[in-house]
Amino acid sequence: MASLADTGLSFTTLAHPAPTSAEARGAVLANPGFGTNFTDHMVTIDWTEGQGWHDAVIGPRQPIALDPAAAVLHYAQEIFEGLKAYKQADGSISLFRPEANAARFNRSAERLAMPELPEALFVEAIEKLVALDRAWIPEGEGSSLYLRPFMIATEAFLGVRPAKQYKFIVIASPAGNYFKSGAPAVSIWVSDYTRAAPGGTGAAKCGGNYAASLVPQAEAIARGHDQVVFLDAAEHKWIEELGGMNLYFVFEDGTLLTPELTGTILPGITRDSLLTLAREEGLTVKEGRYSLDQWRADATSGKLVETFACGTAAVVTAVGKVSGTDGEFTIGSGGPGQLTGKLKNRLVAIQRGEAPDTHGWIRKVG
Ligand SMILES: *Cc1c(COP(=O)(O)O)cnc(C)c1O
């Protein structure tokens, strides 16, 4: 891991000329929703070929100026991350595994031909923003400050090659429960569209993957479902993941299965954390392939008792019903299963500081 010393960067802090009033902020925090309200500040750091990272600033959140020829607007050189800051019962603030986000950000950067950001700088940028905007962290169950670090190609150039200028930005958004309805179990639609193909960008957290998933997701909604599940591109047979969440299958003998990371699945940090927690519970957890046909057969026979999706935004969400062009099946009783609830509670308790952090996952923000 590159240290801060390697970059020689220090942050310039710019005071906000007109911060949000405590009253207006209180109204937002009383009902934060997801992704529609933002804190007063942001971090920006620029990168220029030959110079590296420079001009680290934490200042007022405001629109950014981009040349209309900026490469990101034409060829989608963009990557992002998502993580949360939690207000603990004792009033302290914690981040959950931000180093893992930093490492994944750099793997995404490599795939999108973008410069890597020293991991310590990534984490410091987040810590600085959370500390400055700490009054924006909502309290209470399911609430957090959602952090969105991202990087865009800013060079004005229409030729097709990696850009020579980039901007790294972190913004923050108070968040309540992710699924508006607070639904106990979601229903999902098996898409005929493909999210990721072998050799493609499926393992990178890039905006382009999401742009391509909007039509499949809209189709799922139009058909009355909450989310879309994607199968593999080559055989259209193996279950991969949802548009922005990984999947786990729970069998009646207590074993768990999650699709293996073959390069077309996003390596979720929630997925990885649950692998560890489930093994600690004494459960057998396998990473492997699971077909849609087997899923349907096992759900019908009762061999499969639960399925859940996981990701930072919604943490753990039960899947109750699966529909596709071949028909529909229900998982378990159609509601959230026992193990789904147990694993979710274990993870949330660690994130909120209510259970001991035996894995070094929690990073306190001063
Ligand atoms: C971010 C993301 C996930 C979940 O990753 P977490 O690190 O657990 O938040 C799963 N799938 C896709 C496609 C994603 O972009």
Side-chain angles (χ1 to χ4, degrees):
M1 189 170 98
S3 77
L4 261 188
D6 296 336
T7 69
L9 270 189
S10 61
F11 282 78
T12 301
T13 304
L14 300 178
H16 199 297
T20 308
S21 71
E23 193 189 359
R25 187 175 61 235
V28 167
L29 295 183
N31 188 14
F34 184 84
T36 49
N37 297 294
F38 301 95
T39 67
D40 282 330
H41 298 93
M42 65 194 240
V43 169
T44 58
I45 313 177
D46 292 312
W47 187 93
T48 306
E49 191 178 73
Q51 190 181 358
W53 292 102
H54 59 93
D55 289 299
V57 177
I58 178 159
R61 199 186 91 89
Q62 59 187 10
I64 51 172
L66 276 184
D67 191 287
V72 63
L73 302 177
H74 303 274
Y75 310 125
Q77 241 192 320
E78 190 268 359
I79 58 170
F80 68 94
E81 275 299 326
L83 69 162
K84 287 173 169 176
Y86 305 87
K87 181 81 84 44
Q88 313 286 39
D90 66 2
S92 66
I93 298 165
S94 71
L95 296 166
F96 185 73
R97 304 185 69 183
E99 306 83 1
N101 294 94
R104 185 172 66 190
F105 193 66
N106 281 338
R107 291 199 301 274
S108 299
E110 190 183 3
R111 180 63 184 84
L112 275 287
M114 301 169 89
E116 293 188 15
L117 184 71
E119 288 182 18
L121 189 55
F122 178 99
V123 174
E124 187 187 5
I126 286 161
E127 286 182 335
K128 281 212 148 58
L129 183 60
V130 170
L132 189 58
D133 282 337
R134 61 194 304 144
W136 286 92
I137 308 176
E139 291 176 43
E141 206 191 318
S143 298
S144 59
L145 184 64
Y146 184 79
L147 298 153
R148 171 52 61 87
F150 63 104
M151 193 198 322
I152 54 173
T154 52
E155 187 194 358
F157 178 63
L158 294 181
V160 179
R161 57 143 172 80
K164 295 180 177 178
Q165 283 168 18
Y166 298 87
K167 196 179 276 291
F168 170 74
I169 304 177
V170 189
I171 54 175
S173 173
N177 266 328
Y178 184 71
F179 287 110
K180 268 178 252 140
S181 56
V186 295
S187 105
I188 60 180
W189 171 255
V190 182
S191 188
D192 289 330
Y193 288 98
T194 296
R195 191 193 84 91
T201 57
K205 212 166 173 73
C206 59
N209 288 344
Y210 277 73
S213 76
L214 297 177
V215 161
Q217 175 64 29
E219 183 185 55
I221 302 265
R223 289 175 179 271
H225 303 283
D226 302 303
Q227 292 280 321
V228 61
V229 59
F230 291 101
L231 304 179
D232 76 292
E235 296 179 72
H236 205 69
K237 173 175 179 175
W238 308 103
I239 301 156
E240 297 215 313
E241 61 170 313
L242 307 192
M245 282 186 281
N246 297 115
L247 280 170
Y248 269 91
F249 306 95
V250 183
F251 299 92
E252 66 175 342
D253 64 0
T255 61
L256 262 76
L257 174 69
T258 187
E260 64 189 325
L261 303 176
T262 54
T264 52
I265 291 176
L266 198 289
I269 294 161
T270 316
R271 173 191 180 280
D272 182 71
S273 306
L274 289 170
L275 273 179
T276 299
L277 294 182
R279 283 178 181 144
E280 261 175 21
E281 291 284 323
L283 301 164
T284 303
V285 193
K286 292 180 194 143
E287 296 178 82
R289 296 203 296 185
Y290 197 48
S291 70
L292 173 62
D293 287 342
Q294 198 63 47
W295 192 13
R296 183 189 299 106
D298 291 345
T300 306
S301 74
K303 190 178 166 208
L304 174 108
V305 289
E306 301 177 35
T307 299
F308 63 85
C310 63
T312 295
V315 194
V316 169
T317 305
V319 175
K321 204 168 76 178
V322 183
S323 304
T325 40
D326 297 345
E328 184 171 294
F329 57 95
T330 300
I331 294 160
S333 61
Q338 263 190 349
L339 199 66
T340 299
K342 189 174 176 182
L343 287 172
K344 176 175 185 168
N345 291 342
R346 281 268 293 145
L347 181 57
V348 169
I350 295 171
Q351 291 173 334
R352 308 209 70 99
E354 291 153 7
D357 170 33
T358 55
H359 305 284
W361 286 344
I362 297 299
R363 190 172 174 114
K364 292 269 180 181
V365 177

